[in-house]
Amino acid sequence: MSDIVNWTSYLFAISILVVLLGGLGLFAYAIQKGWLLQQMTGLRQLGGADKRLKIRETLVIDPRRRLVILQADETEHIVLLGAERETILSTGPARPEPVRPKPTARESRS
């Protein structure tokens, strides 16, 4: 009889472990997809082509300041971010993104 109790205890412990790991995996998946952010804050994450704002480049000047090139629609803004304030240094039309040729099969093998 004690053998049956030991096996059921082991099976119970393993089933509890599977349920906990499954719940943790589901929680991680929900965080990654942004479901929890949307439910808790009401914010939505836009995906793919819906994004209108891009960070094109960042340059750290010192520990308290950095330069950022932001692109919003067809306009680029150069912004100086500091500890106390932000300053827009320049605004102009966005440069087109450089077209990179796709590597051929011969180039990818080398």
Side-chain angles (χ1 to χ4, degrees):
M1 177 107 183
S2 66
D3 290 337
I4 294 173
V5 172
N6 287 339
W7 282 107
T8 57
S9 297
Y10 290 137
L11 288 176
F12 181 72
I14 289 173
S15 64
I16 293 294
L17 181 64
V18 167
V19 167
L20 288 175
L21 289 176
L24 185 62
L26 184 63
F27 180 73
Y29 185 74
I31 293 261
Q32 181 183 13
K33 288 293 185 179
W35 296 338
L36 292 179
L37 177 69
Q38 183 178 358
Q39 292 297 324
M40 291 171 25
T41 63
L43 298 176
R44 278 189 336 123
Q45 289 182 344
L46 297 176
D50 295 335
K51 293 184 180 180
R52 296 175 50 203
L53 183 65
K54 297 178 186 174
I55 297 177
R56 298 288 298 247
E57 196 172 330
T58 302
L59 175 67
V60 176
I61 297 174
D62 58 38
R64 304 188 95 202
R65 297 181 299 160
R66 75 177 53 211
L67 277 174
V68 178
I69 299 176
L70 300 170
Q71 180 181 346
D73 294 330
E74 300 300 321
T75 307
E76 281 186 349
H77 306 280
I78 300 177
V79 181
L80 177 65
L81 302 174
E84 292 87 28
R85 63 183 179 154
E86 297 79 29
T87 306
I88 298 175
L89 300 177
S90 173
T91 299
R95 290 184 184 175
E97 299 218 11
V99 178
R100 296 187 179 123
K102 293 182 180 178
T104 61
R106 185 177 287 165
E107 290 174 355
S108 63
R109 288 185 210 152
S110 317

